[in-house]
Structure formats: C-alpha cells, structure tokens
Amino acid sequence: MIDQLAALYRSLPLMLYFAWGDTKARYRRSVLGPFWLVIGTAVGVVGLSFLWSGLLKVDRATFVPSLAVGIVVWQFIAGCVAESPSAFTRNAAVMRNLKTPYLIFPLQLLLRQLINFAHNLVVVLVVLIVFPPALGAAQLLVIPGMLLLVGNLFWIAILFGMLGARFRDLEQTIGVLIPLLFFLSPVLYRPDQLGALEQFIWLNPFTYMISLIRDPILGFVPAPFVYLVSAGMLLAGWGATLWLYGRRHSRIPFWV
C-alpha cells in the first residue's frame, strides 16, 4: 500500500497534465474553451440571485456572495461525488493492459474537478468585487478548509470508485440523489436562516464541506464543531477506504 501511495505521489504532475487535457478536450473547437464553465456558473448565479433574493426577502448584497460561493463549492463537491462511481470503470481498458497504480484514476478525477473549481472562482472573485466582504484573518481559514475538503473528496472518490466498479447501479443511484441533495444542502441558503430546522441541516455531511469554504471567504469563522466533524470524517473515511482498498484492490481489474 505504501508503494502505491509513493507511486501516486510521483505520478501527480502527469495526472495534472491528463486532467488539464481532459478539460480542454471537452471544449475542443469552441472559441472560449473551458471558460464556458465560468459563463454557465455566472448565468446560474445571476439568475438564482434575482429569484431567490426576492423569494427569501433578503438583502442582495448579503445573499449574492453567499449564493455564488455556495454554488461554486457545490459544483466541485457534486462533480467529484457524481463521477466517482465510474472512476475505475471509465479506465477499464488502461487497467487491463497497463501496470499502473489504480489510485491515479480517482486522483485524475479530483484534479479535473479542481481545475473546474479554479475556473469558477473567477465568478466568486467578480461577485466579491461588487459586494466586498469584511476582510480579516478569517479568510486565511480557507486554506485548512480546502485541505479538509479535498482530503474528504479524495477518499470518497476512491471508495465510490471501488463500489461503483463492483455495483454498477451506484452511478445511477447517485445521479438520482444529487439534485435532491442540492436542495437539502445549504447552497441557496445558510443554515442560520432555517430557524428551528437548523439542527437537521447539520445531519448532512455536505453542510460541513460547504461551510469550510464559504464562511471564511465571506469573513466568518466557522464554528469549531465544523472542523471537528470534518476532521472526523477525514480520519474515519480514510481508515475505512484504505482498509477496503487493501483487501479488495486486486479485484478491481476483474470488476471493471
């Protein structure tokens, strides 16, 4: 297992190259290329901000930055989770014919989604210029927040990739659940806007992932339990994933 992790680290530059190549290939022959991602996100933020700020009767200067960051972070999370079940099956031919560390495929998925996330941060930057938050030390907490978020999404990509290779219905199941989870996660709203229902929103693990990034960007310090639960998910998730991977990774080529 240690040898595979070492090989994974050595292959990181190559996987980043492949991830960028996948992103460019998706928009080949288009004029704007990957920046169509930015346009799509910007249109969504503008449209939803006008609609939901009126429905929720909240100040647009407060709502729009929260919505923009929430949507961009959600797209990153949802993209990783939705594609994870096919991380290995999509690369079945490579796995059968080349001797490669299997973990490079979830890593490539994660890097591709990180590239998309970086593109969409342009929308967040523009929104924060128009509606500037209070600047302070809280923004520095984005760094540990991103480390926790990426660490959790990586073990999810590996675990769901293995389960998706063994049970092919997992990909369709997650595809059905993602739209529902969008409304059950604090993307269009903040947990403190739910009143008595706030305690239930914290049962959703995605709530912690969004809060890790959105709160610091907007100048708020996340509650300590957000970091405790996220760190707990990181340790428990990696422990379970490494245990399962150690026992069943040799079967993955046969499953795909």
Side-chain angles (χ1 to χ4, degrees), residues 90-108:
R90 188 187 300 118
N91 297 281
V94 177
M95 296 177 66
R96 293 194 188 105
N97 294 284
L98 295 177
K99 185 175 178 58
T100 58
Y102 301 150
L103 295 181
I104 66 174
F105 303 114
L107 176 61
Q108 183 179 348

Side-chain angles (χ1 to χ4, degrees), residues 64-74 124 128 213-214 217-218:
V64 176
S66 177
L67 175 67
V69 179
I71 286 179
V72 169
V73 175
W74 170 256
V124 174
L128 295 182
I213 309 302
R214 179 166 62 186
I217 288 180
L218 299 182

Side-chain angles (χ1 to χ4, degrees), residues 146-168:
M146 277 300 300
L147 292 176
L148 285 170
L149 176 59
V150 171
N152 275 305
L153 289 176
F154 192 19
W155 71 255
I156 289 174
I158 298 171
L159 180 61
F160 282 17
M162 293 185 64
L163 295 176
R166 180 64 180 85
F167 306 103
R168 297 302 176 90

Side-chain angles (χ1 to χ4, degrees), residues 31 36 40 48 55 63 76 78 101 106 115 121 136-137 139 149 152 172 184 210 224 247:
V31 176
W36 277 112
L48 290 173
L55 290 175
F63 177 74
F76 176 45
I115 291 172
L121 284 178
Q139 273 82 16
L149 176 59
N152 275 305
Q172 285 71 30
L184 296 179
I210 295 172
R247 288 175 59 89

Side-chain angles (χ1 to χ4, degrees), residues 15-21 23 34 37 76 109-121:
M15 289 303 98
L16 183 60
Y17 174 79
F18 284 153
W20 177 242
T23 303
L37 291 167
F76 176 45
L109 183 159
L110 181 63
L111 291 174
R112 184 172 64 252
Q113 292 298 330
L114 273 170
I115 291 172
N116 294 345
F117 178 69
H119 279 88
N120 287 329
L121 284 178

Side-chain angles (χ1 to χ4, degrees), residues 25-253:
R26 180 180 176 184
Y27 297 96
R28 184 171 296 156
R29 297 184 182 276
S30 66
V31 176
L32 297 179
F35 279 97
W36 277 112
L37 291 167
V38 181
I39 295 174
T41 302
V43 170
V45 169
V46 172
L48 290 173
S49 63
F50 279 100
L51 175 63
W52 285 91
S53 61
L55 290 175
L56 298 176
K57 295 180 172 56
V58 293
D59 178 33
R60 195 165 290 163
T62 302
F63 177 74
V64 176
S66 177
L67 175 67
V69 179
I71 286 179
V72 169
V73 175
W74 170 256
Q75 288 178 338
F76 176 45
I77 295 171
C80 290
V81 173
E83 290 190 27
S84 293
S86 60
F88 294 120
T89 56
R90 188 187 300 118
N91 297 281
V94 177
M95 296 177 66
R96 293 194 188 105
N97 294 284
L98 295 177
K99 185 175 178 58
T100 58
Y102 301 150
L103 295 181
I104 66 174
F105 303 114
L107 176 61
Q108 183 179 348
L109 183 159
L110 181 63
L111 291 174
R112 184 172 64 252
Q113 292 298 330
L114 273 170
I115 291 172
N116 294 345
F117 178 69
H119 279 88
N120 287 329
L121 284 178
V122 174
V123 177
V124 174
L125 180 61
V126 172
V127 169
L128 295 182
I129 292 174
V130 177
F131 303 106
L135 298 179
Q139 273 82 16
L140 296 176
L141 293 174
V142 171
I143 298 174
M146 277 300 300
L147 292 176
L148 285 170
L149 176 59
V150 171
N152 275 305
L153 289 176
F154 192 19
W155 71 255
I156 289 174
I158 298 171
L159 180 61
F160 282 17
M162 293 185 64
L163 295 176
R166 180 64 180 85
F167 306 103
R168 297 302 176 90
D169 289 336
L170 180 63
E171 183 176 5
Q172 285 71 30
T173 301
I174 291 179
V176 171
L177 292 177
I178 285 292
L180 175 62
L181 289 171
F182 173 78
F183 292 102
L184 296 179
S185 303
V187 179
L188 302 175
Y189 51 86
R190 296 177 60 85
D192 54 16
Q193 294 176 311
L194 298 178
L197 296 177
E198 180 181 355
Q199 57 184 327
F200 295 103
I201 202 67
W202 291 109
L203 298 175
N204 179 358
F206 294 152
T207 301
Y208 300 90
M209 297 182 182
I210 295 172
S211 298
L212 283 171
I213 309 302
R214 179 166 62 186
D215 287 357
I217 288 180
L218 299 182
F220 303 105
V221 177
F225 72 86
V226 173
Y227 291 102
L228 291 174
V229 173
S230 299
M233 288 193 297
L234 183 71
L235 295 175
W238 271 107
T241 300
L242 292 177
W243 175 82
L244 182 62
Y245 185 82
R247 288 175 59 89
R248 292 290 186 266
H249 74 276
S250 60
R251 297 177 179 266
I252 296 177

